[in-house]
Amino acid sequence: MDREKNYAMAREMYSGIGVDTDAAMEQLKNVPVSLHCWQGDDVTGFDHDGPLTGGIQTTGNYPGKARTPDELMQDMAQALALMPGKKKLNLHASYAIFGEGEFVDRDRIEPKHFEKWVAFAKERDMGIDFNPTFFSHDKVKDGLTLSAPDEGTRKFWIEHGKACIRISEYFAKETGIPCVMNIWTGDGYKDIPADRMGPRLRYRDSLEQILAEPFDRQLVKPCVESKVFGIGVESYTAGSAEFTLSFAASHPGCLPLMDNGHYHPTEMVSDKIPALLVFFPEIALHITRPVRWDSDHVVLFDDETKEMAKEIVRNNALGRVYMALDYFDAGINRIAAWTVGFRSWQKALLLALCTPNAAFKKLQDENQMTKLMVMQEELKTYPFGAVWDEYCRRCGVPVDGMWLDMVEKYEKEVLSARR
């Protein structure tokens, strides 16, 4: 296969509709996407031995799960080598690394417990994003954390949030890249509550106490993430979409974070992105694939993924949207899961950059809807695959069809030895 010839033909074809594919690839190379560590160990973390809570569930038991920090970093390094583009590292607080015989609870964690992660990121020129872990802990009382009526419980989790603010600022100072710190809780009720407002008042107060911790707002980008429901909290969640969006809108410097699995099935985050960009200078995304609600399937190059990327690109918002992947599948090779998801989002962004957005907008504004529809449909059969292959080549990673053998070799030589 003559890939150079294929790309030359594709470049000429795209040029005919006003798209500079070389410029598109160069722009994408500098757009950071955050890769989540928790795909590699099924959201287990290193600070607890109990089951997942907070409405989260991981299914499957594929061999080779990372069991230690070293194994998780080794697996991430293998996956990162197969991904084109600029990356960030996304950590949960439960991935703190303690010294021999050391343990501190989540309200007492410090930057030193993440020094190995900082070293890992610096070696790869990556920034770090961070998430307080408000789940899978014995101080989650009756399924509640920041919205708990018990003051002791609430105080513990508020202190955890403050500790995470300090750690986020440490990450930003060490890497020279702002840290997006996302606050999400699974607080809610399995059945119909008697009081819907009380938990939300307590949640608001808790968030305000956390954000009162001093920090440099150029270095730390705090976010609040919504949830429509979770396993065991099917009837009510304190952090609904309306709650988190209203909180962010009324607290300057706090960003709304949308996870596209955290909405009703007929809601599309692709439509919400431009709506929020009208009012917020910056927003954040967790990108997943909700087969049935928030099922956290591996991101694919599917229609909604493409539409989300289009809305970011066509609104000139690549510098205003913090993008992170968030899914976990324990039923397939975890390194392949990381790789497929990251490459799929990169494909979606590149496809959006290879769209004549200004020309399409002009057609819409002039009400030339027939021509717009025809051009949008015909663009679907343009030779995008050749552009994607060239992007991978320029980023020094394998093209499609060439990387899975490497993952299978790693599985045979490394993962299969883990028991």
Side-chain angles (χ1 to χ4, degrees), residues 281-314:
E282 296 178 317
I283 66 172
L285 293 178
H286 274 189
I287 302 150
T288 185
R289 180 167 55 99
V291 172
R292 291 290 184 270
W293 303 82
D294 185 27
S295 49
D296 285 304
H297 284 65
V298 176
V299 172
L300 301 180
F301 191 48
D302 59 11
D303 287 346
E304 174 61 359
T305 300
K306 295 174 189 176
E307 286 300 313
M308 289 169 63
K310 284 180 188 176
E311 289 298 339
I312 295 170
V313 169
R314 63 166 55 125

Side-chain angles (χ1 to χ4, degrees), residues 3 6-7 10 14 350-351 382-391 399-400:
R3 296 187 187 276
N6 287 347
Y7 174 65
Y14 275 101
L350 184 59
L351 182 67
Y382 269 55
F384 174 72
V387 182
W388 169 252
D389 283 354
E390 179 66 12
Y391 177 64
V399 299
D400 285 1

Side-chain angles (χ1 to χ4, degrees), residues 174-247:
E174 286 292 317
T175 64
I177 300 170
C179 175
V180 177
M181 195 198 90
N182 177 49
I183 297 174
W184 170 84
T185 77
D187 288 27
Y189 291 102
K190 181 179 179 66
D191 219 325
I192 301 170
D195 176 14
R196 297 178 187 273
M197 188 172 179
R200 288 174 175 147
L201 288 170
R202 293 189 291 269
Y203 192 10
R204 183 187 70 180
D205 179 70
S206 295
L207 290 171
E208 288 173 345
Q209 289 191 53
I210 290 171
L211 297 180
E213 178 72 16
F215 65 94
D216 186 335
R217 294 184 179 273
Q218 298 302 311
L219 298 180
V220 180
K221 305 289 184 176
C223 306
V224 283
E225 177 184 2
S226 67
K227 181 92 165 182
V228 68
F229 93 112
I231 298 169
V233 286
E234 291 87 356
S235 295
Y236 169 89
T237 54
S240 65
E242 295 79 9
F243 174 89
T244 56
L245 184 58
S246 298
F247 184 91

Side-chain angles (χ1 to χ4, degrees), residues 228-229 241-242 260-269 272 290 293:
V228 68
F229 93 112
E242 295 79 9
N260 62 300
H262 289 192
Y263 295 86
H264 294 279
T266 56
E267 290 186 277
M268 296 297 178
V269 164
K272 299 177 188 297
W293 303 82

